[in-house]
């Protein structure tokens, strides 16, 4: 097995991730840990452009020559010479990508067969095996760099969609919850990203927020009183900022994918969760919307928000 402490210290390090935003955020503590471990070497990142700002405090973009070397790995049967002296660390949920063997390539997998645990925990275990200390203060570090919960109003941000629509709460439920929140003096706001707009998921009769980028979403999250949403990337971002709220889970596992600090509400069906991965087709034999999500009533969510003291009780 590859051991960082058994290899010569690299000239530079590249941190890689090619997954969805929520998966990337679950890997963020490990990236911070790696950057600290190699703090006296240049650390670069190779991630989707939308994710790059979250690594900017402790890593730099790959220079063109290094980027070309990373791309060339997938085209040949040998490791590109441009990557000599470079430790490439890739975090991902699936199997190791089909790449040539190389002693300075480290793949950390965020899923393990038979283990219902967060990818963050699995990355931590893998780093420990390689002699790399895990950044136990990662949540505080994230908030120091990117902002922490500091509500300025009684806004409740409601997330209507998810990467897979089978993870989303039925829209009529979300609209009814918004009505109840208004009755309690709250200001419900539906948050729609590009995916929801493409799918035509636009709640009628309510206030809508269309963030232009993740930085704008971050600011809105920190200023909100609470959030409600399904298993999706923005809910992970809210949790990392320290925003309280309720996460609604159906086919996927809260133990694996639950956002940091969120209260979890499920329908309590014995068949759920039924999916280890958060993308793809879920429960093809089940009706739509999935009973494990449709069975979560707006009253259940409002009750949990009230218990969290996020919603004022009626006099």
């Amino acid at each position: 097995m590859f051991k960082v402490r058994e290899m010569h210290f690299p000239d530079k390090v590249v941190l890689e991730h090619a997954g969805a935003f929520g998966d990337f955020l679950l890997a963020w503590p490990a990236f911070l840990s790696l950057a600290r471990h190699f703090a006296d070497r240049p650390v670069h990142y190779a991630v989707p452009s939308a994710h790059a700002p979250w690594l900017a405090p402790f890593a730099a973009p790959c220079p063109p020559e290094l980027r070309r070397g990373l791309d060339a790995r997938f085209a040949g049967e040998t490791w590109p010479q441009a990557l000599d002296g470079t430790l490439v660390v890739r975090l991902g949920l699936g199997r190791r990508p089909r790449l040539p063997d190389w002693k300075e390539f480290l793949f950390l997998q965020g899923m393990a067969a038979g283990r219902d645990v967060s990818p963050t925990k699995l990355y931590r275990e893998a780093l420990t095996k390689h002699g790399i200390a895990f950044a136990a203060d990662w949540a505080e570090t994230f908030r120091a760099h990117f902002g922490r919960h500091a509500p300025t109003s009684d806004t409740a941000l409601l997330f209507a969609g998810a990467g897979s629509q089978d993870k989303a709460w039925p829209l009529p439920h979300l609209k009814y919850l918004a009505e109840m929140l208004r009755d309690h003096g709250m200001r419900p706001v539906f948050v729609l990203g590009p995916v929801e707009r493409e799918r035509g998921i636009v709640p009628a009769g309510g206030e809508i927020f269309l963030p232009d980028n993740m930085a704008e979403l971050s600011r809105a999250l920190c200023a909100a009183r609470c959030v409600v949403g399904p298993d999706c990337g923005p809910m992970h971002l809210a949790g990392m900022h320290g925003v309280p709220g309720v996460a609604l889970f159906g086919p996927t596992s809260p133990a694996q994918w639950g956002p940091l600090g969120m209260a979890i509400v499920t329908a309590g069906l014995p068949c759920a969760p039924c999916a280890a991965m958060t993308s793809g087709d879920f429960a093809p034999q089940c009706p739509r919307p999935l009973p494990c999500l449709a069975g979560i009533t707006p009253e259940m969510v409002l009750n949990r928000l009230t218990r969290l003291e996020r919603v004022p009780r009626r006099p």
Side-chain angles (χ1 to χ4, degrees), residues 31-302:
F31 285 135
L32 174 64
S33 305
L34 286 157
R36 286 180 175 176
H37 185 81
F38 295 105
D40 59 348
R41 294 291 187 274
V43 178
H44 303 280
Y45 57 75
V47 298
S49 58
H51 304 172
W54 310 104
L55 297 182
F58 50 79
C62 283
E65 182 180 356
L66 196 57
R67 185 81 238 194
R68 287 193 292 269
L70 293 172
D71 293 340
R73 296 171 301 166
F74 295 90
E77 297 183 359
T78 60
W79 202 256
Q81 188 174 358
L83 298 179
D84 284 352
T86 303
L87 172 64
V88 180
V89 186
R90 186 182 183 99
L91 279 66
L93 300 180
R95 297 179 181 273
R96 181 188 186 277
R98 293 175 178 258
L99 290 171
D101 290 333
W102 183 247
K103 62 182 179 180
E104 293 178 345
F105 176 62
L106 177 60
F107 177 68
L108 305 182
Q109 190 169 357
M111 292 184 63
R115 295 192 65 187
D116 188 22
V117 298
S118 167
T120 303
K121 178 177 174 60
L122 294 177
Y123 294 141
R124 178 174 187 164
E125 292 175 358
L127 290 174
T128 300
K129 289 180 180 177
H130 292 293
I132 298 174
F134 186 78
D137 64 338
W138 67 265
E140 178 58 32
T141 301
F142 185 92
R143 292 164 194 169
H145 283 300
F146 305 114
R148 63 185 73 245
H149 187 226
T152 58
S153 69
D154 281 334
T155 299
L157 295 181
L158 310 179
F159 291 92
S164 167
Q165 191 53 31
D166 280 338
K167 296 191 295 179
W169 203 29
L171 193 57
H173 286 20
L174 194 65
K175 291 168 62 178
Y176 186 50
L177 174 65
E179 294 173 10
M180 292 194 294
L181 289 171
R182 277 191 289 268
D183 290 342
H184 282 72
M186 298 285 289
R187 177 194 169 207
V189 176
F190 298 102
V191 184
L192 304 181
V195 173
E196 288 74 51
R197 285 174 256 176
E198 289 174 7
R199 293 172 178 167
I201 303 172
V202 180
E207 186 176 350
I208 293 174
F209 172 48
L210 307 172
D212 290 330
N213 50 57
M214 285 299 177
E216 186 177 3
L217 177 59
S218 273
R219 290 190 292 271
L221 286 169
C222 290
R225 183 169 175 81
C226 62
V227 295
V228 175
D231 176 8
C232 65
M235 289 293 287
H236 285 286
L237 181 60
M240 292 177 75
H241 282 303
V243 183
V246 172
L248 312 173
F249 272 75
T252 55
S253 168
Q256 271 187 298
W257 311 112
L260 179 68
M262 295 287 171
I264 303 296
V265 174
T266 73
L269 298 186
C271 57
C274 66
M277 289 293 290
T278 61
S279 60
D281 295 327
F282 303 125
Q285 74 281 6
C286 286
R288 264 48 180 183
L290 292 176
C292 55
L293 282 165
I296 302 173
T297 67
E299 291 81 3
M300 292 166 63
V301 179
L302 181 67

